[in-house]
Amino acid sequence: MLRRTAQAVNKGVAQPFTRALHAAAPLRQAPAAQQQQPASTTCSPSTEARPNGSNPAMSFPCVDQNEIRTARLLRERSQAQQGSSTSVELPNLPAPPPSDPEAGPEPAYSNIVSGYQLYHHNSPFPLDYGGHLPSFSLAYETWGTLNSDKSNVVLIHTGLSASSHAHSTEANPAEGWWEKFIGSGKAIDTDRFFVICTNVLGGCYGSTGPSSLDPSDGLPYATRFPILSIFDMVRAQFELLTHLGVQKLYASVGSSMGGMQSVAAAYVEPERVGKVVSISATARSSPSSIAMRHAQRSVLMADPNWKRGFYYDDLPPHTGMKLARQIATITYRSGPEWEQRFGLRRRNIAPPSSPSSLASPPVLCPDFLIETYLDHQGEQFCLKYDANSLIYISKAMDLFDMSQGALDDLKARRKVRDEGAEAAPALCPVPPSASELAQAATNKPKSKSSKPFISSLPSSHAYLPSLASGLSRHSHPTLVMGVQSDTLFPIEQQRELAECLKANGNDKVVYYELNQPWGHDTFLLDVGNVGGAVKGFLEGKE
């Protein structure tokens, strides 16, 4: 999840960006009759205005912005083809300067193109859902000092669109996305631990993904890239750890999609993981989160520039990426926070010299401050991340399910893959009936520490026995943390994970709920509570 705003967005701070956007020069000169209309009746002179009519036509600078971006990309592409070194990427925007508290905090993310190390895996790498990679690379960065027996390694797993740059380094002094959580004396103390963070398999910040070249023909994989699972990503990370001589992790730590990976790591290599930290994540993707990610992929694929994924020699699907990011941002923050930050306030584009004391009238482009916030989030992200990486990694999140039936399905697929046979539709195991699951749960011996399910989501009880069964081998000391205002991974999902582990007799589970207003992004922003809990858990005795 890469999110960083370049402007705070209320009490006038967002107005310079919004006014500049609405003041963009029209593509064609408006008719004279329209130029004589008062400025307060439209956003700006219409590029498609008709000379006659009861009212002047509205203009749409937000649409113009997409056309301006396209024109700029075409110009820079032409320059690049002529031998110019001009980049087609938007420059990284600075973090917002400190402002009044209502402006709200934003995480620091950037487009990472250097400063990382590369691990090259030069043998074929089979994947869970069929297909393989002839080879792959993983970008990674490290902090701290590896001790003599290599027992102090903490692996940090990232969210969907994050890079390996969790903290600044000498090679890349830019602020990392978890800058305040990593370092000497911090939550993940580099005086104690050797910290590793990778860009996930399928990403676009150094690791092999859809934008990488297929060794078979030297062209980008595009949508020839095979479907990935969260388990594939984790197995690739363990290949890196083996290369580094690390036999066992002190801890596997992750937030959001990274929290899925931290749980998956304990399943894939249970003997190679010590402690597990899963923050604002889940052990089973929910229909609601799958729906939101599907909506993002749908608007992205509907962009004519996407071209079924084969856009690398042409313009990227920047308009679809902008819209996808706006949808994603709605799931990253919370309604209570936005009520405090924005309320129903609108930005005012009336000129200071206007004789009227009234604010400018409503317009159809971003008008409310919440709209300008979403518009800017999409604008500053749309050329920062590869569209195909977003599609593939978000699909891997959808497919993540630690329920026993889902794990059995993957096991059957791997068996067929390893035997070299074609997968058959009938391989998907028939899930046991509810009565069979209930009977199995009744017959299973319970330890004294087992607790009944107390999830506040009644519909979840149908799958909880299967989920608990899938997590039965997870006996690791585990910190599970959630945020009550999180809409992407609702708090019930963290409760379910903790409850399933406890129901299996794991008495080393620590569970926290946070009541912060920042929604899913709390794991990036709340250094005191999130960082404090992580530090206490990592440094405490089992």
Side-chain angles (χ1 to χ4, degrees):
M1 305 165 272
L2 298 180
R3 296 171 296 285
R4 185 186 62 181
T5 183
Q7 300 279 357
V9 284
N10 63 345
K11 288 202 171 180
V13 180
Q15 291 184 17
F17 169 80
T18 307
R19 288 182 180 177
L21 182 63
H22 281 258
L27 300 183
R28 292 199 299 271
Q29 187 69 25
Q34 285 232 336
Q35 295 180 42
Q36 294 172 1
Q37 294 291 336
S40 60
T41 61
T42 62
C43 297
S44 61
S46 172
T47 63
E48 298 291 343
R50 297 177 181 176
N52 301 315
S54 302
N55 297 283
M58 298 284 281
S59 69
F60 296 93
C62 50
V63 179
D64 294 343
Q65 185 67 17
N66 295 330
E67 297 170 354
I68 292 169
R69 192 186 317 113
T70 296
R72 180 172 62 79
L73 289 171
L74 286 171
R75 181 178 65 252
E76 293 177 351
R77 179 168 172 261
S78 175
Q79 292 173 345
Q81 290 174 341
Q82 295 173 9
S84 170
S85 61
T86 303
S87 171
V88 297
E89 294 181 325
L90 286 175
N92 289 332
L93 301 173
S99 58
D100 67 82
E102 290 186 8
E106 294 292 337
Y109 279 121
S110 56
N111 183 358
I112 301 302
V113 296
S114 63
Y116 49 77
Q117 301 178 68
L118 277 178
Y119 160 66
H120 298 287
H121 186 82
N122 293 318
S123 58
F125 188 69
L127 303 172
D128 282 343
Y129 289 102
H132 74 286
L133 294 174
S135 62
F136 72 84
S137 297
L138 277 189
Y140 69 98
E141 297 179 50
T142 65
W143 304 267
T145 302
L146 187 62
N147 61 12
S148 58
D149 60 358
K150 300 183 178 181
S151 63
N152 67 333
V153 178
V154 173
L155 177 62
I156 296 179
H157 306 277
T158 73
L160 188 158
S161 50
S163 69
S164 60
H165 195 62
H167 190 275
S168 55
T169 62
E170 289 186 6
N172 185 355
E175 181 179 356
W177 56 266
W178 233 21
E179 185 79 16
K180 296 179 181 178
F181 293 80
I182 302 169
S184 177
K186 295 182 180 178
I188 302 180
D189 190 350
T190 50
D191 294 334
R192 287 172 170 256
F193 303 117
F194 181 67
V195 184
I196 304 173
C197 183
T198 77
N199 179 224
V200 296
L201 191 67
C204 57
Y205 292 140
S207 295
T208 296
S211 61
S212 302
L213 301 183
D214 183 341
S216 68
D217 60 10
L219 298 175
Y221 279 103
T223 47
R224 299 179 299 169
F225 198 78
I227 295 291
L228 291 172
S229 72
I230 295 293
F231 301 104
D232 291 328
M233 298 175 185
V234 167
R235 288 189 297 111
Q237 291 171 327
F238 275 107
E239 293 289 351
L240 165 64
L241 294 174
T242 299
H243 170 73
L244 296 176
V246 176
Q247 295 305 310
K248 183 176 181 178
L249 291 171
Y250 179 86
S252 174
V253 178
S255 305
S256 189
M257 185 185 79
M260 294 177 170
Q261 294 175 72
S262 65
V263 172
Y267 175 81
V268 171
E269 295 280 2
E271 302 302 321
R272 298 185 67 181
V273 175
K275 296 183 176 183
V276 173
V277 176
S278 180
I279 306 170
S280 296
T282 183
R284 174 185 181 273
S285 284
S286 69
S288 60
S289 66
I290 292 172
M292 294 303 292
R293 287 188 288 268
H294 166 72
Q296 295 172 52
R297 292 193 296 269
S298 295
V299 297
L300 206 168
M301 292 177 177
D303 188 324
N305 287 346
W306 184 61
K307 298 179 179 178
R308 288 173 167 75
F310 292 88
Y311 53 80
Y312 293 106
D313 61 348
D314 208 336
L315 298 185
H318 55 88
T319 300
M321 280 291 281
K322 178 176 178 178
L323 296 175
R325 192 59 172 189
Q326 291 181 4
I327 296 171
T329 301
I330 295 170
T331 70
Y332 296 150
R333 305 304 274 258
S334 77
E337 180 205 7
W338 284 348
E339 182 65 46
Q340 294 174 20
R341 290 177 67 177
F342 310 125
L344 297 181
R345 295 191 298 278
R346 296 170 42 238
R347 69 139 240 358
N348 183 14
I349 59 171
S353 59
S354 174
S356 173
S357 60
L358 296 175
S360 56
V363 294
L364 298 180
C365 276
D367 187 20
F368 288 95
L369 293 189
I370 182 58
E371 293 177 315
T372 66
Y373 174 78
L374 291 177
D375 184 76
H376 184 64
Q377 290 293 317
E379 188 68 34
Q380 66 105 36
F381 180 80
C382 65
L383 294 176
K384 187 181 287 186
Y385 195 72
D386 180 56
N388 282 336
S389 283
L390 188 151
I391 289 172
Y392 275 86
I393 296 176
S394 68
K395 187 65 178 182
M397 294 177 70
D398 292 353
L399 293 167
F400 184 66
D401 184 358
M402 289 294 299
S403 301
Q404 190 62 57
L407 295 175
D408 288 345
D409 175 63
L410 281 180
K411 183 178 179 180
R413 292 176 184 276
R414 293 179 188 123
K415 181 180 179 182
V416 170
R417 177 200 69 195
D418 294 342
E419 292 175 350
E422 292 292 333
L427 278 177
C428 184
V430 177
S433 65
S435 60
E436 290 172 330
L437 289 173
Q439 184 63 37
T442 302
N443 295 338
K444 183 176 181 178
K446 294 184 178 180
S447 68
K448 294 182 180 180
S449 61
S450 295
K451 297 183 179 180
F453 296 121
I454 58 172
S455 174
S456 59
L457 195 64
S459 62
S460 69
H461 290 268
Y463 63 76
L464 280 179
S466 179
L467 186 60
S469 178
L471 291 166
S472 60
R473 65 195 290 183
H474 188 117
S475 59
H476 309 73
T478 303
L479 170 63
V480 180
M481 193 181 315
V483 181
Q484 293 174 358
S485 60
D486 192 339
T487 57
L488 182 59
F489 293 95
I491 194 68
E492 287 85 1
Q493 295 186 314
Q494 291 88 57
R495 291 174 186 164
E496 289 170 2
L497 174 56
E499 290 163 10
C500 285
L501 295 176
K502 292 179 180 180
N504 287 329
N506 188 338
D507 60 357
K508 302 174 184 177
V509 179
V510 179
Y511 176 70
Y512 289 112
E513 283 187 16
L514 301 180
N515 185 23
Q516 296 289 18
W518 302 305
H520 186 65
D521 268 1
T522 298
F523 77 87
L524 294 164
L525 305 170
D526 189 354
V527 179
N529 289 303
V530 175
V534 171
K535 184 176 180 65
F537 177 75
L538 292 182
E539 298 180 7
K541 295 182 179 180
E542 296 184 8

